[in-house]
Amino acid sequence: MKTQTVSGDILQGEGEVSLPWWRQRRRQQVDWCTVWFCIMGAALVGITVLALANIATTELADPAHLLKVAASSEVIGSIFLTFGAGASAVLLLILFGTPLAYVLARSRPSRFKGVVESLVDIPLILPHTVAGLLVYLLFMRRGWLGAPLSDVGLAFEDALPGTVVAMLFVASPFFVNTMREGFEKVPVHLENVARTLGAGTFTTFWTVTLPLSLRHMYSGAVLAWGRAIGEFAGVIMIAYYPFIISTLIYYSFTTDGIHTSRSIAFTVILVSFGVFYLLRRMTRYLGRYDDRV
């Protein structure tokens, strides 16, 4: 026998309370944990949105000045130089960082491995000025690497190679750590199967492990590239010239004031957002594989 209570709930047999259909549906649909997580996440994203809205409303109020700054050869050249230097640093990281990540992923835990992993993370924990000073001391004309390389005609001070090595230094942990995690997720038994079929270590790496890690390589490269092109303090210590975009904004801020530097910054934000949006979209179609056995 069913009895309706004062609150509208239906009292069934043996004291069991059955909620009305509309209250049951509301309880099923509202996941308050997810709601609170979304609210807390929105607060974090909101800071970025407010910062972008602040600069966008100011710049879009004077589109003529924005277009004049964005179309200047100095800004366009600096953007291409920044993106190109960052890409060069990422190519060097792929060439030298991929083998290091593979060795770290496949080696057993030991004190030596822990020391190497800590050394890889050093650029992450250092202040940017300290990272720039380390790069400068090593690659300046009297530095341990800068002196012999300068003798063969490769200068780093106030030159593009100096910008590239500074970017490479600060971005290396992002690529190596992402790549190492990718190698660790590749089932070892797949490599063992390849070896039982006669493949050597490099052939197994090239034909089995690396193709299955392409997604992590791509993500690590994108992260490293983003970190590289955003570096300022590390670059300015060794190569103030030629101007990359961060040094150009600083130079413009100290000479022309905030008006022009803000327009350059807004232009860079638009270009970077478009480029990174496309790069992130491409991750959907790269390197997916089924690792079920």
Side-chain angles (χ1 to χ4, degrees):
M1 180 178 180
K2 298 181 179 179
T3 305
Q4 189 168 6
T5 64
V6 176
S7 61
D9 300 343
I10 298 176
L11 183 63
Q12 295 180 334
E14 299 179 357
E16 182 181 355
V17 177
S18 177
L19 299 176
W21 64 270
W22 56 274
R23 293 184 63 179
Q24 290 181 356
R25 187 174 181 181
R26 187 176 63 179
R27 284 193 174 186
Q28 292 174 356
Q29 289 181 345
V30 178
D31 183 352
W32 288 107
C33 178
T34 304
V35 170
W36 277 110
F37 284 179
C38 291
I39 292 174
M40 290 187 289
L44 184 62
V45 177
I47 296 175
T48 304
V49 173
L50 285 176
L52 293 175
N54 186 19
I55 191 172
T57 52
T58 308
E59 287 302 314
L60 294 179
D62 189 3
H65 180 264
L66 175 62
L67 290 176
K68 178 183 177 182
V69 173
S72 66
S73 58
E74 188 178 25
V75 173
I76 295 175
S78 181
I79 290 176
F80 276 107
L81 179 64
T82 306
F83 286 5
S88 300
V90 169
L91 289 177
L92 291 173
L93 281 175
I94 292 175
L95 181 62
F96 293 96
T98 302
L100 172 61
Y102 180 74
V103 171
L104 291 175
R106 289 293 179 263
S107 59
R108 296 178 179 178
S110 65
R111 291 181 180 178
F112 179 73
K113 179 183 176 181
V115 170
V116 174
E117 289 177 336
S118 299
L119 289 173
V120 170
D121 291 335
I122 281 288
L124 280 177
I125 60 178
L126 289 177
H128 294 186
T129 49
V130 177
L133 187 61
L134 291 177
V135 173
Y136 175 73
L137 293 174
L138 187 61
F139 287 94
M140 66 179 185
R141 291 185 178 85
R142 293 176 285 107
W144 284 0
L145 293 181
L149 291 174
S150 180
D151 292 338
V152 298
L154 186 58
F156 291 87
E157 289 185 55
D158 288 333
L160 183 59
T163 302
V164 173
V165 294
M167 289 181 172
L168 184 147
F169 184 75
V170 298
S172 57
F174 293 87
F175 179 81
V176 174
N177 289 331
T178 305
M179 203 66 226
R180 184 188 60 190
E181 293 176 1
F183 286 142
E184 289 175 345
K185 289 184 178 179
V186 176
V188 179
H189 67 267
L190 293 180
E191 297 181 351
N192 293 335
V193 169
R195 290 194 178 96
T196 59
L197 296 176
T201 302
F202 181 76
T203 302
T204 302
F205 169 79
W206 185 255
T207 59
V208 177
T209 312
L210 190 60
L212 295 177
S213 305
L214 283 180
R215 186 176 178 83
H216 284 81
M217 175 179 280
Y218 183 80
S219 297
V222 171
L223 286 175
W225 188 62
R227 178 67 185 85
I229 64 175
E231 180 60 19
F232 169 67
V235 172
I236 200 173
M237 298 287 285
I238 188 170
Y240 189 74
Y241 297 101
F243 281 148
I244 61 171
I245 201 66
S246 56
T247 52
L248 178 62
I249 292 174
Y250 177 74
Y251 173 79
S252 177
F253 178 76
T254 55
T255 55
D256 299 332
I258 196 171
H259 196 193
T260 303
S261 59
R262 188 179 57 206
S263 298
I264 299 174
F266 186 66
T267 303
V268 173
I269 290 171
L270 293 179
V271 174
S272 299
F273 179 78
V275 171
F276 273 84
Y277 178 77
L278 291 176
L279 292 176
R280 284 298 186 188
R281 293 283 296 180
M282 291 173 63
T283 58
R284 294 185 175 186
Y285 312 104
L286 182 67
R288 290 190 179 277
Y289 68 95
D290 189 352
D291 60 353
R292 290 174 296 182
V293 179

